[in-house]
């Protein structure tokens, strides 16, 4: 039996005799287990919703295609489900999926309004968030670390044992090292075991599990080292705990709130509702504008149809869809401003997270789980890009080919096939997509 | 007068000064304890007794002068000094959620020392800790029983040097006699014992030499005659005269 193992084994048995430590560790595993279960339920619910909507989407589209013969009517009444499925790590870090929409039903109308329609809903409801594993690790676990480590030295000093312990121990590692290590490893396992079970249930990759473990290890180690350092010369455990809880409040609440306030003060962003309003006003105004004005704006983006814009009657579907396109073009600057502001806020939040370890952990884990603002924006761009494929599919029938054969519906783009082909749409690509 | 003997000292302080938070606690302290000797540092409150012990254990660094244990500068050989030293704190508060036996086993394990239950029982017998108390949680222990457990631990460590901080504090007269007997046995077995105390009578009963400490300085030393004890009245008079309250 190696020397180190002997020390750890002694401290393990010693810890098992301390009821308050066992209660703390029990709380840790319970809270972590609850949060993982809650995350798994939420992800399962999202997956079920997607599957249910996919089935309904196919049935609805088939029904519309059976009922409608005219291409313009088909384009108008056919909905397409777009969605962003939760990743296999999303159960641990639900992230921004509470705030950003992860599913849409879109059709051939102007896309910007359709994307941001839900931006005006449920803002207050989403503030509360959900208790996921990330919340437990980033916000609650520091408290457990503080409770476990704050009196590592102070309790021994106030009880009069410190000097006897130090002079008896063969080395500082034999005492403080082994005792701290056992507490740390026990807490780490109590917090992480439910995560490992969740990862196994979700089929999370070993690499992702390894990265999450590493991040959590470093984060918990930070709090443990801080707690030990803060209390190493102290005689009073409650004083140490008060100081550490103050630091926790500073890192977990005050810094993020101040950072958020500063970012929102310095980065001005239009609201999603403004984009929707701009686009809808443009579309509504188009009814009263000369048709040439709409068609000129349309062919500036799609010059290949400039020989097919002449109209034979007061209403034609190609004009209707042209002013939907123009509505997007008019809303494009404000939409881009919105996205640029979001990106800027995300970047600045990155700097703010350097001052707040909990925020930094949240940022890293939501990135790994693809549940952050970056993933949400990527999904939006996928929706725009998919919508563009719908336009590219319908425009030839609307502008050039006249009669529409329903046999062509076999080539109607589907979001499933689209995301299988296009993994990742860059901002540059999508900006061009929006302008078109 | 302080007599400087040029023999090998197990514990030695030479012009030892210790400052704590800008307060001069020990001022040029000189004393030596030879192998197998029982030396009592006697002083009143604030005389610097505990600071001396803490410096010998390496908790305080000398601001000047030197302090050696087993021939080594304490501050440079902490592990060696602590391995050779069994320390008995004044208020031996061990873990109350453990039994005396578990406490002893835990502390011995910290020192990487293996002892059987029989050996532990022998140590408990030497300090006269009741058999039916040994496997009871220490929260029910009296101060004297806690002290006996700590003494048993010190015995089990088999260290050649004992540093005792007010060792008889809280013990009843019978236990004090037993303790003094034990200390003499240890010394006759070759152990070097330094005890700090304010108990003039207790120090005179057991010590081979007594150093009188006042305001961080050694102001007098008393030696026991061959096969005799230091005269309590003489020490008491010096203790009182010199104002060591």
């Amino acid at each position: 039996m190696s020397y180190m193992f002997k020390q750890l084994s002694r401290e393990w048995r010693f810890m098992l005799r301390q009821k308050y430590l066992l209660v703390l560790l029990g709380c840790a595993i319970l809270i972590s287990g609850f949060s993982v279960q809650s995350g798994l339920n939420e992800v399962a619910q999202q997956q079920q919703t997607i599957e249910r909507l996919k089935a309904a989407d196919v049935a609805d589209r088939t029904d519309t295609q059976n009922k409608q013969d005219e291409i313009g009517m088909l384009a108008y009444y056919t909905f397409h489900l777009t969605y962003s499925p939760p990743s296999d790590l999303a159960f641990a870090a639900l992230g921004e999926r509470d705030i950003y929409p992860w599913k849409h039903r879109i059709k051939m109308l102007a896309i910007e309004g359709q994307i941001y329609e839900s931006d005006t809903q449920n803002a207050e409801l989403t503030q509360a968030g959900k208790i996921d594993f990330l919340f437990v690790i980033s916000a609650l676990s520091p408290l457990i670390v503080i409770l476990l480590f704050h009196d590592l030295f102070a309790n021994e000093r106030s009880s009069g044992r410190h000097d006897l312990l130090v002079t008896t121990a063969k080395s500082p590692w034999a005492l403080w090292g082994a005792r701290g290590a056992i507490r740390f490893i026990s807490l780490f396992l109590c917090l992480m075991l439910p995560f490992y079970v969740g990862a196994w249930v979700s089929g999370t990759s070993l690499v992702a599990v390894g990265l999450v473990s590493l991040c959590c290890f470093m984060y918990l180690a930070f709090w443990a080292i801080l707690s030990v350092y803060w209390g190493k010369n102290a005689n009073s455990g409650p004083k140490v705990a008060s100081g550490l809880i103050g630091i926790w409040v500073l890192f977990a609440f005050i810094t993020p709130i101040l950072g958020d306030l500063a970012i929102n003060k310095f980065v001005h962003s239009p609201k999603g509702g403004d984009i929707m309003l701009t686009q809808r006003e443009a579309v509504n105004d188009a009814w009263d504008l000369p048709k040439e004005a709409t068609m000129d704006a349309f062919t500036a983006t799609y010059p290949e149809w400039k020989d097919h814009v002449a109209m034979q009657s007061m209403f034609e579907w190609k004009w209707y869809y042209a002013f939907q396109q123009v509505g997007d073009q008019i809303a494009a600057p404000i939409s881009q401003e919105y996205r640029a502001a979001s990106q800027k806020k995300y970047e600045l939040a990155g700097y703010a997270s350097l001052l707040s370890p909990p925020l930094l952990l949240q940022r890293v884990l939501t990135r790994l789980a693809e549940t952050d603002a970056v993933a949400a924006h990527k999904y939006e761009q996928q929706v725009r890009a998919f919508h563009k494929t719908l336009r590219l599919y319908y425009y030839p029938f609307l502008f050039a080919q006249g009669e529409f054969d329903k046999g062509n519906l076999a080539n109607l783009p589907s979001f499933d096939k689209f995301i299988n082909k296009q993994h990742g749409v860059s901002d540059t690509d999508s900006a061009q997509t929006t302008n078109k | 007068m302080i007599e400087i003997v040029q023999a090998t000292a197990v514990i030695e302080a030479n012009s030892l000064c210790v400052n704590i938070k800008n307060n001069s606690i020990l001022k040029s302290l000189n004393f030596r304890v030879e192998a197998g000797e029982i030396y009592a540092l006697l002083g009143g409150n604030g005389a610097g007794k505990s600071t001396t012990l803490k410096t010998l254990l390496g908790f305080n660094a000398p601001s000047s002068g030197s302090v050696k244990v087993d021939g080594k500068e304490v501050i440079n050989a902490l592990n060696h000094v602590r391995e050779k030293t069994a320390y008995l704190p004044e208020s031996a508060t061990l873990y109350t959620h453990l039994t005396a036996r578990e406490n002893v086993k835990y502390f011995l394990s910290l020192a990487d020392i293996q002892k059987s239950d029989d050996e532990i029982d022998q140590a408990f017998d030497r300090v006269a800790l009741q058999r039916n108390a040994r496997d009871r949680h220490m929260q029910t222990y009296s101060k004297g029983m806690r002290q006996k457990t700590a003494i048993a631990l010190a015995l089990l460590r088999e260290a050649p040097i004992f540093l005792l901080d007010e060792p008889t504090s809280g013990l009843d007269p019978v236990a004090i006699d037993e303790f003094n007997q034990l200390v003499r046995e240890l010394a006759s077995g070759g152990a070097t014992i330094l005890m700090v105390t304010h108990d003039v009578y207790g120090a005179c009963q057991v010590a081979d030499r007594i150093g009188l400490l006042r305001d961080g300085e050694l102001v007098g030393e008393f030696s026991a005659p061959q096969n005799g004890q230091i005269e309590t009245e003489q020490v008491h008079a010096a203790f009182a005269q010199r104002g060591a309250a």
Side-chain angles (χ1 to χ4, degrees):
Chain A
M1 190 160 51
S2 76
Y3 174 70
M4 188 184 289
F5 183 77
K6 265 166 69 180
Q7 310 309 314
L8 292 174
S9 163
R10 181 197 62 243
E11 290 303 328
W12 168 250
R13 291 192 306 273
F14 183 70
M15 191 185 73
L16 291 180
R17 303 291 300 272
Q18 290 175 291
K19 282 182 190 157
Y20 81 100
L21 291 180
L22 298 182
V23 169
L24 269 177
L25 294 172
C27 287
I29 201 166
L30 278 178
I31 296 168
S32 177
F34 171 76
S35 71
V36 167
Q37 181 62 46
S38 162
L40 286 171
N41 286 347
E42 176 63 25
V43 164
Q45 221 166 43
Q46 291 183 8
Q47 278 163 341
Q48 283 165 13
T49 302
I50 288 170
E51 290 309 314
R52 184 169 48 78
L53 289 177
K54 277 166 84 171
D57 181 57
V58 170
D60 180 60
R61 198 159 45 246
T62 306
D63 184 49
T64 304
Q65 287 167 355
N66 289 336
K67 283 181 186 167
Q68 306 294 339
D69 296 320
E70 196 183 349
I71 184 67
M73 296 291 275
L74 262 170
Y76 186 85
Y77 285 110
T78 304
F79 282 96
H80 299 263
L81 175 70
T82 65
Y83 58 90
S84 165
S87 72
D88 55 17
L89 191 56
F91 76 91
L94 296 168
E96 305 284 340
R97 286 178 76 85
D98 278 354
I99 298 167
Y100 290 97
W102 46 268
K103 60 185 187 305
H104 288 90
R105 280 182 85 215
I106 63 163
K107 53 183 181 175
M108 258 293 281
L109 304 185
I111 186 63
E112 292 300 329
Q114 296 183 71
I115 288 178
Y116 293 112
E117 199 164 28
S118 59
D119 202 49
T120 55
Q121 296 171 359
N122 293 333
E124 286 77 17
L125 287 176
T126 60
Q127 290 301 309
K130 291 191 166 63
I131 295 180
D132 57 4
F133 176 72
L134 176 56
F135 174 75
V136 168
I137 285 287
S138 67
L140 299 184
S141 74
L143 281 179
I144 304 175
V145 175
I146 290 168
L147 290 172
L148 277 178
F149 283 88
H150 77 281
D151 65 350
L152 193 65
F153 300 100
N155 184 36
E156 302 302 354
R157 282 203 183 89
S158 60
S159 305
R161 280 185 300 264
H162 177 270
D163 293 355
L164 180 61
L165 281 167
V166 170
T167 54
T168 307
K170 201 170 173 66
S171 70
W173 152 254
L175 173 59
W176 308 118
R179 192 174 284 189
I182 280 295
R183 289 187 188 189
F184 183 81
I185 293 166
S186 304
L187 177 63
F188 182 76
L189 290 178
C190 284
L191 289 170
M192 295 305 287
L193 276 177
F195 166 75
Y196 294 137
V197 173
W200 177 69
V201 169
S202 297
T204 312
S205 74
L206 282 178
V207 174
V209 171
L211 286 171
V212 172
S213 301
L214 180 67
C215 292
C216 293
F217 183 89
M218 289 169 67
Y219 182 71
L220 293 172
F222 163 78
W223 281 102
I225 291 167
L226 179 70
S227 302
V228 168
Y229 177 78
W230 199 261
K232 71 178 169 40
N233 294 319
N235 292 312
S236 162
K239 272 188 189 171
V240 176
S242 304
L244 287 168
I245 287 171
I247 295 173
W248 171 71
V249 170
L250 178 72
F251 281 157
F253 298 102
I254 295 175
T255 306
I257 289 169
L258 290 179
D260 199 40
L261 286 174
I263 289 168
N264 283 322
K265 183 171 173 61
F266 291 113
V267 180
H268 299 286
S269 167
K271 290 186 169 62
D274 297 337
I275 300 168
M276 190 175 71
L277 198 65
T278 305
Q279 179 252 288
R280 286 195 176 165
E281 278 177 355
V283 167
N284 289 337
D285 291 348
W287 289 99
D288 303 322
L289 289 173
K291 294 184 174 52
E292 293 75 20
T294 297
M295 290 306 194
D296 287 349
F298 175 77
T299 54
T301 306
Y302 285 99
E304 62 268 37
W305 304 117
K306 68 179 177 191
D307 297 332
H308 301 272
V309 295
M311 290 178 59
Q312 312 301 321
S313 58
M314 287 295 290
F315 178 85
E316 288 185 27
W317 283 110
K318 62 183 176 187
W319 168 65
Y320 179 80
Y321 288 109
F323 70 64
Q324 296 291 334
Q325 165 76 50
V326 172
D328 277 340
Q329 288 172 203
I330 290 170
I334 189 171
S335 172
Q336 281 187 7
E337 193 188 336
Y338 178 90
R339 276 173 282 149
S342 293
Q343 195 172 351
K344 186 74 182 167
K345 283 181 182 177
Y346 184 77
E347 281 173 22
L348 292 175
Y351 293 118
S353 72
L354 297 177
L355 302 173
S356 164
L359 209 56
L360 186 61
L361 182 74
Q362 285 167 18
R363 191 174 169 87
V364 172
L365 291 200
T366 52
R367 186 79 288 274
L368 284 174
E370 295 179 44
T371 53
D372 58 356
V374 173
H377 290 147
K378 181 180 163 187
Y379 163 65
E380 278 182 18
Q381 306 298 36
Q382 283 179 329
V383 175
R384 286 189 180 89
F386 172 66
H387 189 264
K388 185 189 172 187
T389 66
L390 289 178
R391 281 176 167 159
L392 293 177
Y393 171 82
Y394 280 113
Y395 282 167
F397 298 112
L398 290 166
F399 284 91
Q401 294 172 2
E403 283 300 308
F404 176 72
D405 179 358
K406 278 194 173 179
N408 285 315
L409 286 174
N411 298 323
L412 184 66
S414 93
F415 188 71
D416 275 345
K417 287 179 192 163
F418 173 78
I419 52 171
N420 285 338
K421 274 188 202 166
Q422 297 208 348
H423 277 295
V425 181
S426 73
D427 258 343
T428 322
D429 291 341
S430 58
Q432 287 164 0
T433 306
T434 308
N435 283 329
K436 289 191 172 186
Chain B
M1 280 295 290
I2 300 167
E3 187 187 355
I4 305 296
V5 182
Q6 296 303 318
T8 307
V10 176
I11 299 169
E12 185 177 15
N14 287 318
S15 305
L16 175 66
C17 296
V18 172
N19 294 340
I20 296 173
K21 294 179 182 171
N22 293 326
N23 290 322
S24 181
I25 309 295
L26 298 183
K27 301 159 190 164
S28 199
L29 178 64
N30 292 286
F31 71 91
R32 304 159 59 84
V33 186
E34 313 297 338
E37 188 179 24
I38 303 170
Y39 190 97
L41 262 183
L42 186 67
N45 295 331
K49 305 186 299 289
S50 293
T51 303
T52 306
L53 267 194
K54 280 182 174 283
T55 308
L56 287 168
L57 290 165
F59 290 113
N60 299 322
S63 45
S64 67
S66 74
V67 58
K68 290 181 181 174
V69 172
D70 198 32
K72 294 182 190 293
E73 278 290 347
V74 171
I75 211 73
N76 297 329
L78 266 185
N79 285 346
H80 175 83
V81 168
R82 287 174 179 173
E83 200 179 316
K84 297 282 179 189
T85 307
Y87 168 61
L88 183 66
E90 179 186 359
S91 179
T93 312
L94 301 179
Y95 291 106
T96 53
H97 65 283
L98 301 180
T99 65
R101 189 185 305 279
E102 287 167 341
N103 263 296
V104 165
K105 281 185 176 176
Y106 177 82
F107 277 85
L108 288 175
S109 168
L110 271 179
D112 204 22
I113 295 171
Q114 298 280 341
K115 292 286 176 190
S116 66
D117 275 348
D118 283 348
E119 288 171 307
I120 293 171
D121 275 323
Q122 282 168 21
F124 283 147
D125 287 342
R126 283 183 80 184
V127 297
L129 183 70
Q130 302 94 306
R131 283 197 166 267
N132 62 359
R134 296 172 189 178
D135 294 302
R136 224 167 58 200
H137 282 180
M138 287 190 70
Q139 63 201 17
T140 58
Y141 272 34
S142 66
K143 189 174 179 188
M145 289 164 79
R146 290 203 301 269
Q147 197 75 351
K148 285 177 177 178
T149 308
I151 297 166
L153 170 64
L155 293 175
L156 285 161
R157 287 194 58 197
E158 295 176 355
I161 304 164
F162 286 75
L163 300 181
L164 315 176
D165 190 357
E166 306 284 2
T168 53
S169 164
L171 295 184
D172 60 49
V174 175
I176 289 174
D177 284 344
E178 288 169 352
F179 174 78
N180 288 343
Q181 180 59 37
L182 187 62
V183 167
R184 282 190 209 101
E185 280 174 29
L186 288 169
S188 62
T192 306
I193 295 160
L194 170 67
M195 56 194 285
V196 301
T197 180
H198 59 252
D199 176 10
V200 176
Y201 177 76
C204 292
Q205 271 195 316
V206 74
D208 297 320
R209 280 195 300 146
I210 292 175
L212 193 57
L213 194 63
R214 183 183 164 221
D215 288 338
E217 289 177 282
L218 201 67
V219 294
E221 263 191 344
F222 305 89
S223 299
Q226 191 76 26
N227 297 324
Q229 282 186 4
I230 299 169
E231 282 185 28
T232 310
E233 291 76 14
Q234 187 190 356
V235 178
H236 193 273
F239 189 79
Q241 263 179 13
R242 293 176 190 271

